[in-house]
């Protein structure tokens, strides 16, 4: 069963614009992670935010977490064509033995 | 790719034949995972391992078995492949943290087509 659900399913923007993707989940979590997948490749970890954190930054990435709403957002600022990829949120639910449950992903297309 | 390889990278097989996929890591990580990725379903966990000879089922384990006789190798076997097992299979690894495994590192994937 899917724990995380990303929204939107697909997003198309111009280079230089910001891209925002959202993730909603169902149960209490230890942490929430975001991964990127380029076409035909494996997933690459981007950022992890713990349940007691509200915001985290890494380069052009900004992640927020609202545990009361069971939701997270990933903001990519000043997007580049190289950011074109699918983005997945994954939750480490409490009691899950550390196993991650992945959402279905947001497909981001950044046009030059 | 964090020292993870998968073999084969592509495989075409026929219904009813056994298939074994191999995941090899050079990171000495304790945890290893097998996922399948299908359109409309995202990644789903098949089996995972938390140490040599220690494995457990994931969300979609029916029709699959695994073995881990060495830290570096995690094998996924389809005893009798079916067309519904056509998918892209990813191996992932994770090291131990105080609270358990966290960040996962993924291999390049194996594309399996069952005819």
């Amino acid at each position: 069963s899917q724990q995380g659900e990303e929204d939107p399913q697909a997003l198309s923007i111009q280079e230089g614009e910001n891209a925002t993707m959202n993730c909603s989940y169902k149960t209490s979590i230890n942490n929430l992670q975001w991964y990127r997948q380029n076409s035909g490749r494996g997933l690459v970890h981007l950022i992890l935010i713990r349940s007691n954190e509200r915001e985290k930054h890494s380069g052009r990435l900004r992640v927020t977490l609202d545990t009361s709403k069971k939701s997270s957002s990933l903001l990519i600022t000043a997007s580049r064509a190289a950011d074109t990829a699918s983005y997945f949120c994954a939750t480490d639910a409490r009691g899950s033995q550390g196993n991650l449950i992945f959402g279905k992903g947001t497909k981001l297309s950044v046009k030059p | 790719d964090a020292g993870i390889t998968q073999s084969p990278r592509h495989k075409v097989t026929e219904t009813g034949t056994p298939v074994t996929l191999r995941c090899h890591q050079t990171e000495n990580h304790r945890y290893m995972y097998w996922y399948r990725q299908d359109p409309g379903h995202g990644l789903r966990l098949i089996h995972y391992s938390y140490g040599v000879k220690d494995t457990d089922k994931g969300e979609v384990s029916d029709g699959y078995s695994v073995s881990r006789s060495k830290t570096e190798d995690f094998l996924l076997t389809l005893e009798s492949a079916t067309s519904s097992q056509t998918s892209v299979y990813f191996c992932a690894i994770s090291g131990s943290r105080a609270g358990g495994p966290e960040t996962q590192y993924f291999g390049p994937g194996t594309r399996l087509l069952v005819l």
Side-chain angles (χ1 to χ4, degrees), chain B:
Chain B
D1 288 330
I4 311 169
T5 56
Q6 293 184 230
S7 58
R9 294 293 313 281
H10 302 269
K11 185 165 182 70
V12 180
T13 191
E14 293 187 351
T15 297
T17 60
V19 176
T20 295
L21 308 183
R22 180 184 183 233
C23 177
H24 179 78
Q25 60 145 330
T26 57
E27 305 296 319
N28 201 35
H29 279 353
R30 177 183 175 187
Y31 298 89
M32 299 186 75
Y33 309 84
W34 277 108
Y35 293 91
R36 60 178 290 174
Q37 185 175 34
D38 305 287
H41 289 279
L43 265 75
R44 292 180 291 174
L45 182 65
I46 305 172
H47 280 279
Y48 64 99
S49 169
Y50 43 96
V52 173
K53 293 187 168 53
D54 291 324
T55 65
D56 207 345
K57 296 178 180 180
E59 179 189 355
V60 290
S61 60
D62 287 349
Y64 302 94
S65 62
V66 290
S67 66
R68 189 167 178 202
S69 58
K70 298 185 290 186
T71 298
E72 56 266 36
D73 289 325
F74 192 31
L75 304 181
L76 176 70
T77 297
L78 291 64
E79 301 290 346
S80 177
T82 66
S83 58
S84 64
Q85 294 176 311
T86 291
S87 186
V88 181
Y89 291 86
F90 286 99
C91 174
I93 64 175
S94 181
S96 295
R97 302 287 189 275
E102 289 186 340
T103 301
Q104 293 188 12
Y105 302 93
F106 283 78
T110 294
R111 290 187 174 274
L112 176 67
L113 174 60
V114 183
L115 299 175

Side-chain angles (χ1 to χ4, degrees), chain A residues 1-7 22-27 29 32-34 70-72 87-93 100-106, chain B residues 41-43:
Chain A
S1 59
Q2 233 62 37
Q3 160 80 312
E5 293 288 341
E6 290 91 344
D7 170 61
N22 303 297
C23 170
S24 60
Y25 58 92
K26 297 174 185 174
T27 63
I29 59 172
L32 185 146
Q33 303 179 37
W34 286 91
K70 291 187 171 58
S71 67
S72 174
Y87 292 81
F88 296 87
C89 69
T91 51
D92 172 5
L100 296 178
I101 302 177
F102 287 82
K104 296 179 184 179
T106 292
Chain B
H41 289 279
L43 265 75

